[in-house]
């Protein structure tokens, strides 16, 4: 996108979608579903507070293979990148302080292919990108793993919980955020925090870091790291300048979800507002109202925006062009007139 809609204020229309419920009396979770991931072949993986990982069929009646091994709630899932002829694997992290590796080629016979132990607290965050595998826990510790040997290297720690984790560039670097409001940049080759100890890293937010999203600007415009915080702000950080703040945008409420595509960032907040923000200026282009419930998760691509909210609804929008009505920004949290989505 060059601003969704080709440069003007977008018209956003809700798209009705078909729903397929992944639950039956004979298979599924017995407690909250805490995370989900999608395999390249269409299968869906879900993790639950019951410690189960379920692998759901790609189509037809809901059928699931249950992967057992965790004795605590599953906090997050990650999938290996699909490669022709290579086995598909999944990783699950848990409150039982472990990370488990699963083979998805023959899930009916699956058991945990490996169990990685090294954390002293529940594992809250997990990233798996190319050769990079890292995790972070409730005590703030950030660990780097060698999946071939199961060995781990402590990179450092935040004060309080680690709350966000993201790979940067070619996966030679890693960013983490914590309850301490700091965003730390870790050099995975040097096995340490770029610029010194994590405790010495600058404070980027006056509250916990809620989301980190690395993003490449179109047209060779450079790299940014987007950081959302409990202080109701979005900070644009420059990784090549030691995560210096190059711009900041105040939001209407706590940002639960964050995405970036083309020249815009999209932030979903606790009051149900979705703010679309220009990059790299951090100017707010417009806002949407999803219905008042917190926007917990979202997906954005050049064609559509999908928001999942606390009211149990999932709203899918498409972008369309409209004539620009001027450069004056509407009041924060209010969508431009006649631009609200119809459902």
């Amino acid at each position: 996108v060059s601003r969704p809609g080709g440069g003007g204020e977008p018209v956003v229309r809700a798209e009705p979608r078909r729903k397929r419920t992944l639950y039956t009396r004979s298979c599924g979770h017995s407690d909250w579903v805490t995370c989900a991931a999608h395999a390249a072949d269409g299968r869906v993986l879900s993790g639950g507070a019951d410690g189960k990982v379920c692998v759901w069929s790609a189509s037809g009646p809901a059928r699931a293979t249950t992967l057992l091994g965790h004795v605590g709630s599953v906090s997050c899932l990650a999938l290996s990148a699909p490669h022709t002829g290579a086995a598909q694997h999944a990783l699950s992290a848990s409150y039982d302080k472990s990370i488990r590796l699963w083979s998805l080629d023959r899930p009916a016979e699956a058991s945990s292919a490996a169990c990685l132990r090294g954390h002293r607290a529940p594992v809250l965050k997990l990233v798996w990108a190319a050769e990079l595998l890292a995790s972070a826990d409730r005590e703030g510790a950030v660990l780097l793993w060698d999946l071939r040997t199961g060995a781990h290297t402590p990179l450092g720690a935040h004060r309080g919980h680690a709350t966000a984790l993201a790979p940067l560039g070619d996966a030679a670097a890693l960013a983490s955020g914590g309850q301490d409001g700091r965003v730390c940049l870790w050099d995975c080759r040097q096995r340490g925090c770029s610029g010194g100890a994590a405790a010495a890293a600058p404070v980027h937010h006056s509250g916990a870091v809620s989301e980190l999203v690395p993003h490449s600007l179109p047209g060779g415009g450079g790299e940014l790291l987007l950081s959302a915080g409990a202080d109701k702000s979005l900070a644009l950080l420059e990784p090549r300048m030691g995560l210096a703040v190059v711009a900041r945008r105040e939001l209407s409420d706590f940002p639960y979800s964050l995405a970036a595509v083309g020249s815009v960032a999209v932030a979903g907040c606790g009051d149900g507002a979705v703010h679309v923000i220009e990059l790299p200026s951090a100017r707010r282009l417009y806002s949407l109202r999803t219905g008042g419930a917190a926007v917990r998760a979202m997906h954005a691509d050049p064609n559509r925006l999908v928001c999942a909210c606390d009211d149990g609804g999932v709203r899918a929008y498409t972008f369309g062009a409209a004539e620009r009505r001027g450069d004056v920004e509407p009041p924060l949290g209010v969508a431009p007139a006649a631009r609200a989505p119809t459902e």
Side-chain angles (χ1 to χ4, degrees), residues 134-188:
S135 55
D137 66 30
R138 199 168 180 174
E139 288 185 350
V142 181
L143 303 185
L144 185 67
W145 296 90
D146 185 331
L147 195 53
R148 293 166 295 183
T149 65
H152 68 276
T153 302
L155 296 179
H158 289 270
R159 294 176 178 173
H161 302 177
T163 54
L165 203 59
L168 295 180
D170 58 359
L174 179 74
S176 66
Q179 276 187 322
D180 53 10
R182 289 179 166 87
V183 178
C184 295
L185 182 62
W186 309 96
D187 187 332
C188 297

Side-chain angles (χ1 to χ4, degrees), residues 37-302:
H38 298 81
D41 61 5
R43 287 179 295 175
V44 175
L45 279 71
S46 60
D50 54 7
K52 297 177 182 178
V53 176
C54 292
V55 183
W56 297 91
S57 57
S59 61
R63 300 185 306 275
T65 298
T66 301
L67 308 181
L68 299 175
H70 287 298
V71 294
S73 176
V74 178
S75 55
C76 46
L77 295 165
L79 292 171
S80 61
H83 296 288
T84 303
Q88 176 91 65
H89 289 85
L91 286 169
S92 57
S94 172
Y95 274 69
D96 66 8
K97 308 176 188 177
S98 76
I99 299 168
R100 289 187 176 269
L101 175 69
W102 312 91
S103 173
L104 299 183
D105 282 0
R106 303 175 71 178
E109 304 172 12
S111 59
S112 181
C115 182
L116 307 180
R117 297 190 182 275
H119 285 282
R120 298 184 300 176
V123 185
L124 302 181
K125 297 296 175 180
L126 179 68
V127 296
W128 191 10
E131 298 299 316
L132 173 65
L133 173 59
S135 55
D137 66 30
R138 199 168 180 174
E139 288 185 350
V142 181
L143 303 185
L144 185 67
W145 296 90
D146 185 331
L147 195 53
R148 293 166 295 183
T149 65
H152 68 276
T153 302
L155 296 179
H158 289 270
R159 294 176 178 173
H161 302 177
T163 54
L165 203 59
L168 295 180
D170 58 359
L174 179 74
S176 66
Q179 276 187 322
D180 53 10
R182 289 179 166 87
V183 178
C184 295
L185 182 62
W186 309 96
D187 187 332
C188 297
R189 293 165 295 192
Q190 299 297 321
R191 303 294 200 266
C193 187
S194 177
V203 176
H204 295 88
H205 296 278
S206 59
V209 178
S210 60
E211 290 282 342
L212 291 173
V213 174
H215 185 59
S216 299
L217 293 171
E223 304 291 324
L224 288 175
L225 178 63
L226 281 56
S227 174
D231 57 0
K232 303 180 184 179
S233 77
L234 171 67
L236 308 186
L237 312 180
E238 172 54 78
R240 300 187 182 213
M241 296 172 58
L243 297 182
V245 179
V246 297
R248 189 181 294 272
R249 167 57 57 185
E250 299 302 315
L251 303 173
S252 60
D253 204 347
F254 183 99
Y256 282 101
S257 52
L258 182 64
V261 57
S263 58
V264 298
V266 188
C269 296
D271 59 358
V274 175
H275 302 292
V276 180
I277 298 161
E278 184 180 56
L279 300 175
S281 68
R283 184 173 71 93
R284 189 178 65 85
L285 297 175
Y286 65 102
S287 298
L288 304 171
R289 287 289 180 183
T290 62
V295 183
R296 292 281 178 173
M298 68 167 51
H299 164 81
D301 62 39

Side-chain angles (χ1 to χ4, degrees), residues 17-38:
R17 313 297 280 183
R18 297 178 62 183
K19 181 173 70 172
R20 179 171 174 254
T21 300
L22 299 182
Y23 175 80
T24 72
R25 296 193 178 200
S26 60
C27 59
H29 295 281
S30 59
D31 209 331
W32 289 9
V33 176
T34 54
C35 51
H38 298 81

